[in-house]
């Protein structure tokens, strides 16, 4: 899967000013402007406690510029997403997951982490939902149905808070920040009820000796060891770090690279999913890699009503050939895959490695001219 190339993308896309937990916040609908339907609550401090009252349902515009404040991270199909923020849909199912399950989970987490103020805030929210939950749910449904069909498909749900100094959105809460960070970093060493961890060993990515290397750090599920029989080296899951040792620093870059690839470089060709992953042809050159990513980011599909998906992808490849066909400074890896919607396990169906822009030029630019 060209993990090194993905990690280099992660290094490039990392923001030194971004807080660690923010690396694990996802955009609800990458590359799109969309609406988030908000349940708005008013809080009042009464002595050493808080009271909460429902105010209204509001709708805010969201995009790549402001999605962090909603603190969304995808969870499991059965357990719901990691925070209260989720993609809108069946309001009965969404609300049932939000309350009481997620609210109780956050209260328990805040208690465990000694966030006493936030325990009181979320407990007050719970009390409000006990009284007004059904009315809130009906209002949320009304606002959702007021959107047209296209807007409904790309709409989200979250909360907004009034009356709490410095805390207006989910991202502002320390408990939520810790949940995001813990979820994002969990499972690097601890999985399948075993701990796979090496100490003072060499990382397979950066090739440096690190205090800790993890055995389950890859964020992609194309290689799993959920059954001992899948582990090379005497079938011991604890020793998986010997097969694929990744240090903590590279694990974070891997997570960032995977996030970028899945959100920005995931494409379709004749209905088949694939990733298009750029790689510098020779050595390591961040400027060239940034240029390769900009080529992919700046392309705008000129799609007409009813046009097939395949035509958009041919347009992308034709543009690559036109813009970079005379410069083979970087190459592209195409990874065609199938993903299980429940387990997220990947099957790599086809892997085309190091396709240079000149090849795209031959296929999509020069040949059509000759034919015409």
């Amino acid at each position: 899967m060209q993990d090194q190339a993905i990690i280099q993308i992660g290094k490039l896309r990392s923001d030194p000013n971004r807080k660690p937990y923010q690396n694990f916040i996802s955009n609800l609908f990458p590359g799109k402007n969309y609406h988030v339907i908000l349940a708005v609550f008013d809080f009042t401090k009464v002595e050493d406690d808080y009271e909460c009252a429902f105010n209204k349902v509001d709708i805010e515009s969201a995009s790549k510029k402001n999605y962090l404040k909603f603190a969304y991270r995808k969870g499991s199909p059965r357990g719901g997403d990691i925070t209260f923020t989720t993609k809108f849909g069946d309001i009965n199912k969404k609300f049932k997951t939000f309350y009481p399950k997620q609210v109780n989970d956050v209260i328990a987490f805040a208690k465990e982490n000694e966030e006493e103020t936030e325990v009181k805030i979320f407990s007050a929210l719970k009390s409000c939902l006990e009284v007004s939950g059904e009315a809130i749910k009906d209002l949320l449904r009304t606002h959702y149905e007021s959107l047209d069909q296209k807007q409904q498909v790309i709409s989200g749900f979250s909360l907004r808070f009034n009356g709490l100094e410095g805390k207006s959105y989910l991202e502002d809460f320390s408990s939520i920040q810790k949940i995001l960070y813990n979820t994002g970093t969990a499972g690097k060493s601890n999985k399948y009820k075993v701990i796979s961890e090496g100490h003072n060993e060499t990382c397979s990515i950066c090739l440096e000796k690190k205090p800790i290397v993890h055995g389950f750090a890859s964020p992609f599920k194309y290689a799993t060891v959920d059954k001992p029989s899948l582990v090379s080296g005497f079938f011991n899951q604890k020793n998986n770090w010997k097969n694929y040792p990744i240090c903590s620093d590279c694990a974070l870059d891997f997570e960032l690279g995977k996030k970028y690839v899945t959100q920005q470089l995931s494409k379709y060709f004749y209905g088949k999913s694939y990733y298009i992953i750029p790689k510098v042809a020779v050595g390591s050159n961040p400027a060239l890699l940034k240029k390769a990513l900009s080529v992919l980011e700046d392309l705008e599909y000129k799609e007409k009503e009813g046009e097939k998906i395949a035509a958009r992808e041919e347009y992308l490849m034709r543009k690559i050939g036109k813009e970079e066909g005379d410069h083979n400074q970087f190459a592209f890896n195409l990874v065609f895959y199938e993903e299980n919607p429940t387990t997220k396990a990947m099957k790599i169906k086809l892997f085309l490695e190091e396709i240079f822009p000149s090849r795209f030029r031959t296929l999509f630019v020069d040949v059509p001219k000759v034919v015409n």
Side-chain angles (χ1 to χ4, degrees), residues 289-313:
L289 182 57
K290 186 174 182 179
K291 181 180 180 181
L293 293 175
S294 69
V295 170
L296 299 175
E297 289 174 352
D298 292 343
L299 293 177
E300 295 181 1
Y301 293 126
K302 297 180 179 178
E303 180 186 9
K304 296 179 181 178
E305 192 68 28
E307 203 168 310
K308 292 182 178 180
I309 291 176
R312 300 194 318 224
E313 296 310 312

mmCIF file of all heavy atoms in Angstrom, residues 289-313:
data_model
loop_
_atom_site.group_PDB
_atom_site.id
_atom_site.type_symbol
_atom_site.label_atom_id
_atom_site.label_comp_id
_atom_site.label_asym_id
_atom_site.label_seq_id
_atom_site.Cartn_x
_atom_site.Cartn_y
_atom_site.Cartn_z
ATOM 1 N N LEU A 289 6.383 16.946 -3.686
ATOM 2 C CA LEU A 289 5.195 16.222 -3.220
ATOM 3 C C LEU A 289 4.024 17.179 -3.055
ATOM 4 O O LEU A 289 2.885 16.861 -3.416
ATOM 5 C CB LEU A 289 5.498 15.522 -1.894
ATOM 6 C CG LEU A 289 4.353 14.682 -1.301
ATOM 7 C CD1 LEU A 289 3.884 13.623 -2.280
ATOM 8 C CD2 LEU A 289 4.790 14.050 0.015
ATOM 9 N N LYS A 290 4.299 18.369 -2.548
ATOM 10 C CA LYS A 290 3.256 19.376 -2.403
ATOM 11 C C LYS A 290 2.700 19.766 -3.769
ATOM 12 O O LYS A 290 1.483 19.960 -3.935
ATOM 13 C CB LYS A 290 3.821 20.612 -1.687
ATOM 14 C CG LYS A 290 2.773 21.657 -1.357
ATOM 15 C CD LYS A 290 3.380 22.783 -0.532
ATOM 16 C CE LYS A 290 2.315 23.805 -0.160
ATOM 17 N NZ LYS A 290 2.898 24.909 0.666
ATOM 18 N N LYS A 291 3.576 19.856 -4.756
ATOM 19 C CA LYS A 291 3.133 20.183 -6.108
ATOM 20 C C LYS A 291 2.234 19.077 -6.660
ATOM 21 O O LYS A 291 1.199 19.350 -7.284
ATOM 22 C CB LYS A 291 4.340 20.371 -7.027
ATOM 23 C CG LYS A 291 3.980 20.745 -8.459
ATOM 24 C CD LYS A 291 5.237 20.925 -9.305
ATOM 25 C CE LYS A 291 4.879 21.295 -10.736
ATOM 26 N NZ LYS A 291 6.087 21.440 -11.579
ATOM 27 N N ALA A 292 2.620 17.815 -6.422
ATOM 28 C CA ALA A 292 1.817 16.695 -6.901
ATOM 29 C C ALA A 292 0.430 16.714 -6.268
ATOM 30 O O ALA A 292 -0.593 16.493 -6.944
ATOM 31 C CB ALA A 292 2.519 15.375 -6.584
ATOM 32 N N LEU A 293 0.361 17.005 -4.975
ATOM 33 C CA LEU A 293 -0.936 17.075 -4.297
ATOM 34 C C LEU A 293 -1.776 18.237 -4.817
ATOM 35 O O LEU A 293 -2.993 18.125 -4.957
ATOM 36 C CB LEU A 293 -0.729 17.213 -2.781
ATOM 37 C CG LEU A 293 -0.124 15.999 -2.068
ATOM 38 C CD1 LEU A 293 0.145 16.332 -0.605
ATOM 39 C CD2 LEU A 293 -1.044 14.799 -2.174
ATOM 40 N N SER A 294 -1.107 19.355 -5.132
ATOM 41 C CA SER A 294 -1.846 20.520 -5.636
ATOM 42 C C SER A 294 -2.462 20.231 -7.001
ATOM 43 O O SER A 294 -3.541 20.729 -7.330
ATOM 44 C CB SER A 294 -0.935 21.748 -5.709
ATOM 45 O OG SER A 294 0.043 21.596 -6.721
ATOM 46 N N VAL A 295 -1.770 19.412 -7.809
ATOM 47 C CA VAL A 295 -2.325 19.026 -9.109
ATOM 48 C C VAL A 295 -3.648 18.301 -8.906
ATOM 49 O O VAL A 295 -4.632 18.554 -9.605
ATOM 50 C CB VAL A 295 -1.341 18.121 -9.883
ATOM 51 C CG1 VAL A 295 -2.013 17.514 -11.108
ATOM 52 C CG2 VAL A 295 -0.113 18.923 -10.313
ATOM 53 N N LEU A 296 -3.687 17.414 -7.925
ATOM 54 C CA LEU A 296 -4.912 16.650 -7.662
ATOM 55 C C LEU A 296 -5.976 17.508 -6.984
ATOM 56 O O LEU A 296 -7.159 17.379 -7.264
ATOM 57 C CB LEU A 296 -4.587 15.439 -6.779
ATOM 58 C CG LEU A 296 -3.601 14.434 -7.377
ATOM 59 C CD1 LEU A 296 -3.285 13.352 -6.365
ATOM 60 C CD2 LEU A 296 -4.155 13.813 -8.652
ATOM 61 N N GLU A 297 -5.553 18.399 -6.079
ATOM 62 C CA GLU A 297 -6.505 19.231 -5.341
ATOM 63 C C GLU A 297 -7.180 20.266 -6.227
ATOM 64 O O GLU A 297 -8.355 20.580 -6.055
ATOM 65 C CB GLU A 297 -5.793 19.948 -4.192
ATOM 66 C CG GLU A 297 -5.376 19.029 -3.056
ATOM 67 C CD GLU A 297 -4.554 19.770 -2.019
ATOM 68 O OE1 GLU A 297 -4.199 20.943 -2.268
ATOM 69 O OE2 GLU A 297 -4.254 19.176 -0.970
ATOM 70 N N ASP A 298 -6.423 20.812 -7.187
ATOM 71 C CA ASP A 298 -6.927 21.927 -7.980
ATOM 72 C C ASP A 298 -7.826 21.506 -9.133
ATOM 73 O O ASP A 298 -8.452 22.337 -9.770
ATOM 74 C CB ASP A 298 -5.762 22.755 -8.546
ATOM 75 C CG ASP A 298 -4.998 23.484 -7.454
ATOM 76 O OD1 ASP A 298 -5.550 23.599 -6.351
ATOM 77 O OD2 ASP A 298 -3.868 23.915 -7.701
ATOM 78 N N LEU A 299 -7.875 20.208 -9.418
ATOM 79 C CA LEU A 299 -8.698 19.760 -10.534
ATOM 80 C C LEU A 299 -10.176 19.894 -10.190
ATOM 81 O O LEU A 299 -10.619 19.494 -9.129
ATOM 82 C CB LEU A 299 -8.381 18.304 -10.876
ATOM 83 C CG LEU A 299 -6.985 18.048 -11.446
ATOM 84 C CD1 LEU A 299 -6.780 16.568 -11.677
ATOM 85 C CD2 LEU A 299 -6.799 18.789 -12.758
ATOM 86 N N GLU A 300 -10.926 20.452 -11.097
ATOM 87 C CA GLU A 300 -12.369 20.574 -10.927
ATOM 88 C C GLU A 300 -13.049 19.757 -12.011
ATOM 89 O O GLU A 300 -12.818 19.950 -13.197
ATOM 90 C CB GLU A 300 -12.808 22.032 -11.014
ATOM 91 C CG GLU A 300 -12.254 22.905 -9.887
ATOM 92 C CD GLU A 300 -12.746 24.330 -10.003
ATOM 93 O OE1 GLU A 300 -13.515 24.608 -10.947
ATOM 94 O OE2 GLU A 300 -12.353 25.149 -9.166
ATOM 95 N N TYR A 301 -13.887 18.844 -11.574
ATOM 96 C CA TYR A 301 -14.599 18.015 -12.539
ATOM 97 C C TYR A 301 -15.662 18.850 -13.253
ATOM 98 O O TYR A 301 -16.442 19.555 -12.625
ATOM 99 C CB TYR A 301 -15.287 16.846 -11.835
ATOM 100 C CG TYR A 301 -14.346 15.855 -11.238
ATOM 101 C CD1 TYR A 301 -14.450 15.498 -9.893
ATOM 102 C CD2 TYR A 301 -13.350 15.266 -11.999
ATOM 103 C CE1 TYR A 301 -13.581 14.581 -9.333
ATOM 104 C CE2 TYR A 301 -12.474 14.357 -11.452
ATOM 105 C CZ TYR A 301 -12.602 14.017 -10.118
ATOM 106 O OH TYR A 301 -11.741 13.111 -9.562
ATOM 107 N N LYS A 302 -15.681 18.754 -14.593
ATOM 108 C CA LYS A 302 -16.700 19.441 -15.369
ATOM 109 C C LYS A 302 -17.757 18.419 -15.762
ATOM 110 O O LYS A 302 -17.741 17.867 -16.854
ATOM 111 C CB LYS A 302 -16.078 20.106 -16.596
ATOM 112 C CG LYS A 302 -15.063 21.185 -16.240
ATOM 113 C CD LYS A 302 -14.458 21.819 -17.472
ATOM 114 C CE LYS A 302 -13.460 22.903 -17.098
ATOM 115 N NZ LYS A 302 -12.824 23.518 -18.280
ATOM 116 N N GLU A 303 -18.631 18.199 -14.811
ATOM 117 C CA GLU A 303 -19.607 17.135 -14.987
ATOM 118 C C GLU A 303 -20.946 17.715 -15.450
ATOM 119 O O GLU A 303 -21.464 18.662 -14.874
ATOM 120 C CB GLU A 303 -19.813 16.381 -13.669
ATOM 121 C CG GLU A 303 -20.812 15.254 -13.774
ATOM 122 C CD GLU A 303 -21.079 14.636 -12.414
ATOM 123 O OE1 GLU A 303 -20.621 15.195 -11.418
ATOM 124 O OE2 GLU A 303 -21.760 13.606 -12.377
ATOM 125 N N LYS A 304 -21.499 17.140 -16.497
ATOM 126 C CA LYS A 304 -22.813 17.520 -16.961
ATOM 127 C C LYS A 304 -23.842 16.579 -16.356
ATOM 128 O O LYS A 304 -23.533 15.490 -15.913
ATOM 129 C CB LYS A 304 -22.882 17.464 -18.488
ATOM 130 C CG LYS A 304 -21.952 18.456 -19.175
ATOM 131 C CD LYS A 304 -22.050 18.331 -20.685
ATOM 132 C CE LYS A 304 -21.094 19.302 -21.371
ATOM 133 N NZ LYS A 304 -21.140 19.176 -22.840
ATOM 134 N N GLU A 305 -25.080 17.018 -16.329
ATOM 135 C CA GLU A 305 -26.149 16.210 -15.756
ATOM 136 C C GLU A 305 -26.235 14.872 -16.482
ATOM 137 O O GLU A 305 -26.291 14.796 -17.702
ATOM 138 C CB GLU A 305 -27.490 16.949 -15.884
ATOM 139 C CG GLU A 305 -28.611 16.329 -15.082
ATOM 140 C CD GLU A 305 -28.374 16.468 -13.592
ATOM 141 O OE1 GLU A 305 -27.708 17.434 -13.169
ATOM 142 O OE2 GLU A 305 -28.856 15.591 -12.859
ATOM 143 N N GLY A 306 -26.210 13.791 -15.703
ATOM 144 C CA GLY A 306 -26.343 12.461 -16.286
ATOM 145 C C GLY A 306 -25.051 11.864 -16.798
ATOM 146 O O GLY A 306 -25.041 10.745 -17.288
ATOM 147 N N GLU A 307 -23.926 12.595 -16.695
ATOM 148 C CA GLU A 307 -22.663 12.076 -17.202
ATOM 149 C C GLU A 307 -22.161 10.964 -16.279
ATOM 150 O O GLU A 307 -22.349 11.002 -15.062
ATOM 151 C CB GLU A 307 -21.638 13.213 -17.249
ATOM 152 C CG GLU A 307 -20.509 12.967 -18.226
ATOM 153 C CD GLU A 307 -19.707 14.240 -18.444
ATOM 154 O OE1 GLU A 307 -20.329 15.279 -18.713
ATOM 155 O OE2 GLU A 307 -18.472 14.170 -18.338
ATOM 156 N N LYS A 308 -21.492 9.979 -16.820
ATOM 157 C CA LYS A 308 -21.040 8.843 -16.027
ATOM 158 C C LYS A 308 -19.841 9.221 -15.164
ATOM 159 O O LYS A 308 -19.073 10.112 -15.492
ATOM 160 C CB LYS A 308 -20.665 7.671 -16.940
ATOM 161 C CG LYS A 308 -21.849 7.051 -17.669
ATOM 162 C CD LYS A 308 -21.388 5.868 -18.505
ATOM 163 C CE LYS A 308 -22.576 5.209 -19.202
ATOM 164 N NZ LYS A 308 -22.161 4.058 -20.019
ATOM 165 N N ILE A 309 -19.696 8.490 -14.056
ATOM 166 C CA ILE A 309 -18.574 8.714 -13.150
ATOM 167 C C ILE A 309 -17.247 8.520 -13.881
ATOM 168 O O ILE A 309 -16.288 9.246 -13.682
ATOM 169 C CB ILE A 309 -18.655 7.763 -11.941
ATOM 170 C CG1 ILE A 309 -19.849 8.150 -11.063
ATOM 171 C CG2 ILE A 309 -17.378 7.774 -11.128
ATOM 172 C CD1 ILE A 309 -20.077 7.217 -9.888
ATOM 173 N N ALA A 310 -17.185 7.537 -14.751
ATOM 174 C CA ALA A 310 -15.944 7.234 -15.463
ATOM 175 C C ALA A 310 -15.438 8.440 -16.243
ATOM 176 O O ALA A 310 -14.249 8.680 -16.333
ATOM 177 C CB ALA A 310 -16.158 6.053 -16.395
ATOM 178 N N ALA A 311 -16.343 9.212 -16.811
ATOM 179 C CA ALA A 311 -15.938 10.365 -17.603
ATOM 180 C C ALA A 311 -15.208 11.389 -16.737
ATOM 181 O O ALA A 311 -14.264 12.028 -17.182
ATOM 182 C CB ALA A 311 -17.158 11.009 -18.263
ATOM 183 N N ARG A 312 -15.599 11.536 -15.489
ATOM 184 C CA ARG A 312 -14.924 12.472 -14.595
ATOM 185 C C ARG A 312 -13.497 12.025 -14.328
ATOM 186 O O ARG A 312 -12.578 12.827 -14.263
ATOM 187 C CB ARG A 312 -15.693 12.581 -13.269
ATOM 188 C CG ARG A 312 -17.121 13.065 -13.446
ATOM 189 C CD ARG A 312 -17.733 13.493 -12.133
ATOM 190 N NE ARG A 312 -17.411 12.599 -11.034
ATOM 191 C CZ ARG A 312 -18.296 12.188 -10.139
ATOM 192 N NH1 ARG A 312 -19.552 12.554 -10.240
ATOM 193 N NH2 ARG A 312 -17.935 11.423 -9.147
ATOM 194 N N GLU A 313 -13.308 10.717 -14.136
ATOM 195 C CA GLU A 313 -11.971 10.220 -13.848
ATOM 196 C C GLU A 313 -11.060 10.341 -15.061
ATOM 197 O O GLU A 313 -9.870 10.612 -14.934
ATOM 198 C CB GLU A 313 -12.046 8.760 -13.384
ATOM 199 C CG GLU A 313 -12.796 8.578 -12.081
ATOM 200 C CD GLU A 313 -12.305 9.530 -11.001
ATOM 201 O OE1 GLU A 313 -11.090 9.646 -10.794
ATOM 202 O OE2 GLU A 313 -13.143 10.181 -10.372
#
